[in-house]
Amino acid sequence: MTLAFVFPGQGSQSIGMMKGFDGNAAVRETFEEASAALGQDLAAMCAEGADAAVINATINTQPLMLTAGVAVYRAWRAAGGAAPAVAAGHSLGEYSALVAAGSIAFADAVKLVRVRAEAMQSAVPEGEGAMAAILGLPDDVIVAACLEAAQGDVVEAVNFNSQGQVVIAGSKAAVERAMALCKEKGAKRALPLPVSVPSHCALMKPAADKLAVVLADIQIAAPQFPVIHNVDVTACAEPAQIRDALVRQLYRPVRWVETAQKIAADGAGVIAECGPGKVLVGLNKRIAENAQHVALTDAAAFDALKALL
């Protein structure tokens, strides 16, 4: 059966998130490589008993989640698991997918996402931006509510995560106005998210410009298997196209519904989430109902995945 891998992004991190892989050599070596690249102990940062505030800081979350996704992928391959026919990642997870596909060297990617996180945080001072999840309202109604609520500020629909679940982002006051409007228009819930950066909206354009400068010096190869990019729902083979997709991803929406639909439509019968948590499995079950879904949250899940293939 055709296999697809999807890699989670920010929001899936947690204290003790790699406990299911205790003693796994590939996981340990991957965290050691990332720690050496950044000069800090990433494994200790997310170990049981660590400070949740530290791993939830964007500049730490991004390299941690990249490393976790790559570590699980390497452990899967070391255990005799097959390479996927296609891959994708949710926002930051796209970088994990590109590393897995051999498009970006892991050490380069770790440093790159740290720069990405720093650029995002500096683009909007903490407390001035916001994000919120809107549940139970059609996409077009949410988009219209954002347009009405903007009033000269920025608020946009930025994560199309599943049918009936859309995240909006922008300046704090505009997001609050949009949340109120969405409730008036019948949203079941409008939940503010505990984030310090309003990702994937126009406020991230300065961060994207900084990222573009750094990306220009990063060696990028054609992926060994297709990686579907969030911004266009297409797979790119040319390094210049990949750089462009990663830059635009910062200030354009994550089109996850379309991404999961494309993966399924192209023949993936099994979609495995490669990294901590089960966020993408939860979304994908609602989007690609006919596929089998597995979360690789521990080494035991490898056997379950192999049994499906």
Side-chain angles (χ1 to χ4, degrees):
M1 193 172 287
T2 303
L3 173 64
F5 267 22
V6 292
F7 293 83
Q10 288 184 249
S12 291
Q13 73 278 1
S14 64
I15 296 298
M17 66 185 187
M18 302 307 295
K19 185 174 176 56
F21 294 95
D22 281 352
N24 187 287
V27 170
R28 183 184 68 253
E29 290 164 5
T30 302
F31 270 82
E32 288 173 351
E33 185 181 348
S35 297
L38 294 180
Q40 62 184 141
D41 190 340
L42 295 186
M45 190 183 292
C46 64
E48 290 187 321
D51 185 351
V54 173
I55 71 166
N56 289 332
T58 297
I59 60 169
N60 295 323
T61 307
Q62 295 201 27
L64 267 175
M65 286 303 301
L66 168 78
T67 301
V70 172
V72 173
Y73 181 75
R74 287 178 172 178
W76 161 256
R77 296 288 280 147
V86 63
H90 190 285
S91 185
L92 172 74
E94 198 166 284
Y95 289 80
S96 302
L98 288 166
V99 172
S103 183
I104 302 177
F106 177 52
D108 287 342
V110 171
K111 296 173 185 176
L112 181 62
V113 299
R114 170 58 61 80
V115 170
R116 179 181 185 265
E118 291 171 342
M120 291 171 70
Q121 190 65 75
S122 65
V124 179
E126 193 163 353
E128 293 187 12
M131 299 182 76
I134 309 300
L135 307 180
L137 203 61
D139 293 358
D140 59 340
V141 177
I142 297 171
V143 170
C146 288
L147 287 172
E148 184 178 345
Q151 299 178 20
D153 291 330
V154 171
V155 58
E156 301 167 3
V158 297
N159 289 0
F160 294 92
N161 285 332
S162 69
Q163 294 89 342
Q165 184 187 131
V166 174
V167 173
I168 64 174
S171 63
K172 186 176 181 181
V175 168
E176 290 172 349
R177 289 193 296 268
M179 289 171 63
L181 267 176
C182 286
K183 287 180 181 177
E184 288 178 16
K185 294 176 182 294
K188 292 180 180 178
R189 301 187 77 183
L191 306 170
L193 300 179
V195 298
S196 59
V197 172
S199 303
H200 301 293
C201 72
L203 296 177
M204 289 293 106
K205 185 63 168 63
D209 293 341
K210 290 181 180 178
L211 182 66
V213 173
V214 179
L215 267 170
D217 293 328
I218 297 291
Q219 186 172 350
I220 295 180
Q224 295 162 5
F225 46 79
V227 174
I228 300 173
H229 292 273
N230 293 174
V231 70
D232 294 322
V233 198
T234 57
C236 301
E238 297 295 326
Q241 294 175 326
I242 294 170
R243 288 188 180 91
D244 178 60
L246 292 176
V247 169
R248 288 186 293 122
Q249 185 217 59
L250 261 190
Y251 61 92
R252 299 292 300 276
V254 174
R255 296 162 61 182
W256 190 254
V257 172
E258 294 169 87
T259 298
Q261 287 173 337
K262 178 173 176 55
I263 288 172
D266 287 350
V270 179
I271 304 176
E273 181 170 1
C274 191
K278 301 179 180 180
V279 170
L280 297 183
V281 164
L283 298 178
N284 293 343
K285 282 182 177 179
R286 297 196 289 273
I287 301 167
E289 296 177 355
N290 293 327
Q292 299 278 351
H293 302 274
V294 178
L296 301 179
T297 54
D298 54 40
F302 290 174
D303 293 333
L305 178 55
K306 288 177 181 177
L308 291 174
L309 300 177

